[in-house]
Amino acid sequence: MYLRGSMKINDKGNLEVGGIEAGDLARQFGTPLYVLDEAGLRENCRDFRDAFASYGDTLVIYASKTLSCLSVYRIIEEEGLGLDIVSGGELYTALKAGFNMEKVYFHGNNKSRDEMVLAVKSGLGRIVVDNLYELDLLEEVCAELNKTQSIMLRITPGVEAHTHEFIKTGQLDSKFGFTLSNGQAMAAIKAALEKKHLHVKGLHCHIGSQIFEMSSYSNTAEIMMNVLAEVKERFHIEFEELNVGGGFGIFYAAGDDPKDPRAWAQAVMDTVKEKARELNLRQPKIIVEPGRAVSGPAGLTLYTVGSIKEIPGIRKYVAVDGGMTDNLRPALYNAKYTAVLADNAVREKTEIVSIAGKCCESGDMLIWDIVLPVLESGDLIAVFATGAYNYSMASNYNKLPRPAMVLVNEGAADVIIERETYDDLIRNEILLERLASK
Ligand code: LLP
C-alpha cells in the first residue's frame, strides 16, 4: 500500500524509487532527504484528471499548499491540472513557474490588499472570496485598477466530515466561508452580484481533509446543487461553476482506506447530474482540488539512524537526523506514518521501536511503535507518503536547515529544492554593530 508509483523493493531487498536505490540517493544527496517520484506524481494527476473528465466539463486543480515549488508546478501544468493557491507567495511561485494564470484559483480567508493587487494584475482565473471584508476590498482594488475579476464565493455547507478537528472546514462553526444555514450565504451572493467589477462565476466549498467516506462528497454536492437552484430562483441567474473542494484521503498507515479517484468522481458527478435534472439546472462545470492525494503518495523521506536508546521493558527509541522540522504532522495532528529499512532491507529479525526526531522536544516523534528489522546507527530509513504537508510545513526550529528535495525519474535524480545551509539560517538576521564582538 505504501509502495506507489515507481517505488519498489528490488531483488536485493533494497528500496528503489525512480529506478534508483534509496541508498544511492542518500549517499549522493545526504539525509534527511525528500524524494519525489515524478512518475508517481504524474500518475496521480492523470488518475484524478481522467476520473473527472469522463463526466464532461470538469477541472482538477492541485491544492499547492501541500507542496509548492517551481518544478512541481510545471509538472502539474503539463498534466493538465489547474492550481489552487492561498497566498501571495504561492501566487509568486506560480508566476515564476510560468503557470497559465487562467487556471489558477486563489483561496484563503484573509487575502491582503497587496495579494489582491498582484492577483488581479496577473490575470488570475478566479479569486475565491471568503467573506464580506474580502468582497468589498476586492471590488475596491478592481475599481482602482480598472479591471473586472472573475470570482467564486466560498460557502460553508454545514457538512461534518469525519476527520481530525484541525483539518475539517465545512462545518457550521468554521473560520472559512459564508454560512449557509443562517442566510449569510444568500446575502453575500446578492452583494457580490451587485459589485460592478466582480463577475461571479460560481460557488466553492471544502469540507475538510483526509476524508474516506464518499457519502460526505455526495452530501456536499447535493447541498451545493440545492444552493444553485435557490440562486436561480432568487436572482434569476445560473452559475457556471461549482467547486466542491478537495480532501481526498490517502494511505499513511494501517486503518487508512483510500478509494480510487473514480469513486470520488462518481460520488460527486452522479449527484450533480441527478440534481441538475431534478432541479432543472444546467450542469455546472465541476472543479475539484485534491492536494495530498496528488503529491502525498509520490513523496518519501530518507533519514539516517543515529543514536539508539533502549529502556529495557519500556521502549526502544531510534533517533533519526530529521523530525518535526521536516515533518510536523505527527507532532501537530498525531498523524501516523509507515516506514521501512531502506538499504540492506533483507535483514529479517524484527522488533518494535519508536522513531524519534532530533529536536529538543519530547513530542518530536515521527512514528510510535513500528515493527522494523533490528536497526543500527547508520541505517537508512524511508518514511512514506511525505510528499504533502511536509516540506510545505517545514520549519527551522532548533535552527535545523531544511532538507533538499530530489525529483527522481527513470534512473535520474535532480535537486529541485536545495538543502539549506547554515548561512541560509542567518541570511535575514542583522547583527547590530553596537552588539558585534569587538
Ligand atoms: N481546498 C481547500 C480550500 C483546502 O483548504 C484544502 C486543504 C484543500 C483543497 C486540499 O486538501 P487535501 O486534498 O490536501 O486534503 N496541514 C493539514 C491539512 C490542512 C488542509 C488545508 N486545506 C495536514 O497536514 O493534514
Side-chain angles (χ1 to χ4, degrees):
M1 203 53 182
Y2 53 84
L3 291 172
R4 295 278 305 268
S6 74
M7 297 172 196
K8 64 175 186 185
I9 304 292
N10 67 18
D11 299 343
K12 290 185 252 166
N14 295 340
L15 175 67
E16 198 180 292
V17 52
I20 309 176
E21 286 199 355
D24 289 338
L25 291 170
R27 275 183 289 278
Q28 188 176 350
F29 301 103
T31 60
L33 183 68
Y34 293 118
V35 182
L36 190 63
D37 171 28
E38 183 169 346
L41 181 64
R42 288 185 185 275
E43 186 182 312
N44 298 341
C45 290
R46 284 178 208 151
D47 285 351
F48 284 103
R49 191 194 64 198
D50 294 349
F52 280 89
S54 64
Y55 290 91
D57 193 14
T58 55
L59 178 65
V60 177
I61 62 179
Y62 164 64
S64 69
K65 73 205 78 183
T66 60
L67 174 56
S68 164
C69 70
L70 298 167
S71 294
V72 169
Y73 281 9
R74 291 301 326 140
I75 292 172
I76 295 299
E77 179 157 61
E78 281 181 15
E79 294 302 333
L81 272 58
L83 209 59
D84 149 1
I85 57 161
V86 292
S87 68
E90 287 182 354
L91 171 53
Y92 182 80
T93 310
L95 284 166
K96 286 286 174 185
F99 207 95
N100 174 4
M101 282 295 135
E102 273 174 26
K103 286 169 87 174
V104 180
Y105 287 62
F106 192 176
H107 298 75
N109 68 317
N110 190 24
K111 301 169 196 77
S112 70
R113 170 183 280 269
D114 285 352
E115 287 176 323
M116 287 182 183
V117 168
L118 183 62
V120 173
K121 279 186 173 168
S122 66
L124 185 137
R126 306 278 180 273
I127 295 184
V128 182
V129 174
D130 196 274
N131 49 63
L132 291 177
Y133 166 80
E134 283 193 353
L135 189 68
D136 292 340
L137 186 57
L138 185 59
E139 169 64 19
E140 206 178 293
V141 164
C142 290
E144 275 168 29
L145 297 173
N146 198 20
K147 292 234 184 189
T148 304
Q149 175 66 48
S150 293
I151 64 166
M152 303 188 89
L153 296 171
R154 177 159 181 170
I155 307 296
T156 322
V159 173
E160 288 275 348
H162 302 279
T163 188
H164 192 286
E165 196 63 36
F166 291 177
I167 56 176
K168 64 182 180 188
T169 56
Q171 75 280 13
L172 172 65
D173 185 3
S174 163
K175 76 167 181 174
F176 296 106
F178 297 103
T179 307
L180 193 57
S181 56
N182 62 8
Q184 285 174 337
M186 281 300 151
I189 293 168
K190 182 168 184 296
L193 289 170
E194 287 164 3
K195 299 289 187 200
K196 277 207 189 71
H197 298 84
L198 304 181
H199 182 200
V200 190
K201 287 282 190 180
L203 303 179
H204 167 271
C205 64
H206 171 74
I207 56 170
S209 227
Q210 188 61 356
I211 291 168
F212 296 114
E213 290 102 28
M214 295 303 108
S215 58
S216 299
Y217 288 115
S218 37
N219 290 343
T220 306
E222 181 172 355
I223 292 170
M224 295 305 289
M225 288 299 285
N226 287 337
V227 179
L228 291 185
E230 194 178 336
V231 167
K232 183 179 176 187
E233 198 184 304
R234 283 205 195 189
F235 308 114
H236 313 292
I237 179 165
E238 278 194 69
F239 284 147
E240 297 158 45
E241 297 181 358
L242 175 62
N243 182 332
V244 294
F248 197 73
I250 63 167
F251 179 86
Y252 286 106
D256 293 335
D257 180 24
K259 307 288 178 293
D260 188 285
R262 280 173 297 192
W264 188 25
Q266 190 183 3
V268 172
M269 299 309 294
D270 281 357
T271 310
V272 167
K273 279 183 188 296
E274 197 183 305
K275 292 297 288 183
R277 253 196 315 273
E278 178 195 322
L279 299 165
N280 193 25
L281 288 172
R282 245 182 287 140
Q283 184 179 318
K285 172 174 180 171
I286 297 296
I287 297 143
V288 287
E289 41 196 31
R292 100 178 57 228
V294 174
S295 58
L300 59 84
T301 308
L302 297 178
Y303 299 100
T304 304
V305 172
S307 66
I308 297 174
K309 169 183 175 173
E310 181 155 19
I311 312 168
I314 307 241
R315 186 180 302 283
K316 190 166 181 180
Y317 286 94
V318 173
V320 295
D321 51 358
M324 65 191 293
T325 42
D326 58 77
N327 184 359
L328 184 60
R329 300 190 72 258
L332 190 58
Y333 311 119
N334 197 18
K336 306 283 185 281
Y337 281 87
T338 306
V340 296
L341 173 63
D343 211 10
N344 189 16
V346 279
R347 238 181 284 160
E348 260 173 38
K349 205 170 151 207
T350 55
E351 62 177 356
I352 296 175
V353 297
S354 292
I355 301 181
K358 65 175 275 140
C359 291
C360 282
E361 184 146 335
S362 301
D364 178 24
M365 295 294 298
L366 286 176
I367 304 179
W368 291 99
D369 299 332
I370 179 172
V371 180
L372 285 174
V374 176
L375 294 171
E376 292 162 15
S377 305
D379 277 340
L380 189 65
I381 286 181
V383 176
F384 293 96
T386 59
Y389 302 116
N390 271 227
Y391 170 73
S392 66
M393 292 173 74
S395 78
N396 291 125
Y397 183 47
N398 289 179
K399 272 213 155 139
L400 296 184
R402 270 176 278 234
M405 184 177 293
V406 289
L407 184 71
V408 293
N409 195 33
E410 294 180 356
D414 297 298
V415 174
I416 56 169
I417 302 174
E418 298 266 23
R419 183 178 303 281
E420 284 178 340
T421 63
Y422 289 151
D423 274 336
D424 290 330
L425 296 178
I426 57 167
R427 191 168 305 287
N428 296 327
E429 297 185 18
I430 295 166
L431 175 57
L432 295 179
E433 208 158 322
R434 65 185 170 81
L435 298 176
S437 66
K438 304 275 177 322

